[in-house]
Amino acid sequence: MKKQRAFLKWAGGKYGLVEDIQRYLPEGRKLVEPFVGAGSVFLNTDYDHYFLADINPDLINLYNLLKERPQEYISEAKRWFVAENNRKDAYLSIRAEFNGTDDVMYRSLAFLYMNRFGFNGLCRYNKKGGFNVPFGSYKKPYFPEAELEFFASKSKKATFVCESYPETFRRARKGSVVYCDPPYAPLSTTANFTSYAGNGFTLDDQAALADVAEKAAKERHIPVLISNHDTTLTRRLYHGAELNVVKVKRTISRNGAGRNKVDELLALFNPSHDD
């Protein structure tokens, strides 16, 4: 099966880990993802149904629009990928309009445009909720037409919702499998434990997620697979799971300042069979 790419660029996207995740994901009727992100695992697995959640409303609104009105969305989006929009002033004006409107179609079109024309495909908002990623200055941003079409056709099997991970876990039923790709734990934990500022996902959240996952497996017989950095902290958090280490291909950076990539941990909480 050909590997399918997500249509969004995404920090922490799982395209490179898909084969490893496939290897450890249990079988089931439905795959539940509380942190769907760009959807690489959804796109590269074969379940009858998918329940895909994220706390970013722009992401979920875009997915629902693409699912319900694929032709309209794709043809409209394509019109944004022109040379005159690949200038800083054009980008900033679209970004300002995005930040000032509630129109779902406009926001969804601008979201894809900013993902491809903005810096590094980042998705970042300021405290007031305004999108604030700078212009990317790429030579010719790629319009992911085939990727959009594949996503739209596969989304017929999916339900997309905007909600937090505890809500998504509460909805999961026996026969489902849960895959979690949370914002990754920090590589070095400073003395100030609780205020880790990554995506607002704190160390307390990392611990709470591990707890919810273990309970889902033990008490409700729903297997849960979580990916994260392989660190002392994550090993401690996932001590109740079967731990699988995925060796990340190490890239030697030209300037020598690039930190070595840390291996990935795939922690599988399996239902206990002692009842």
Side-chain angles (χ1 to χ4, degrees), residues 9 80-83 85-87 91 112-119 134-138 140-142:
K9 292 157 105 178
W80 293 51
F81 282 65
V82 289
N85 279 346
N86 196 17
R87 303 192 321 259
Y91 175 87
L112 174 61
Y113 161 80
M114 293 186 301
N115 177 263
R116 289 279 166 181
F117 288 72
F119 182 72
F135 180 57
S137 344
Y138 298 107
K140 190 172 192 273
Y142 169 69

Side-chain angles (χ1 to χ4, degrees), residues 30 32-34 51 53 161 163-174 176 178 180 208-209 212-213 215-216 220 222 224:
K30 179 188 277 189
V32 175
E33 289 196 59
F51 188 86
V161 298
E163 64 185 23
S164 66
Y165 76 85
E167 293 175 84
T168 310
F169 264 95
R170 278 197 289 277
R171 294 178 188 250
R173 296 288 174 262
K174 204 170 169 179
S176 296
V178 179
C180 291
L209 173 63
V212 168
K215 283 203 173 85
R220 298 163 59 210
I222 299 167
V224 183

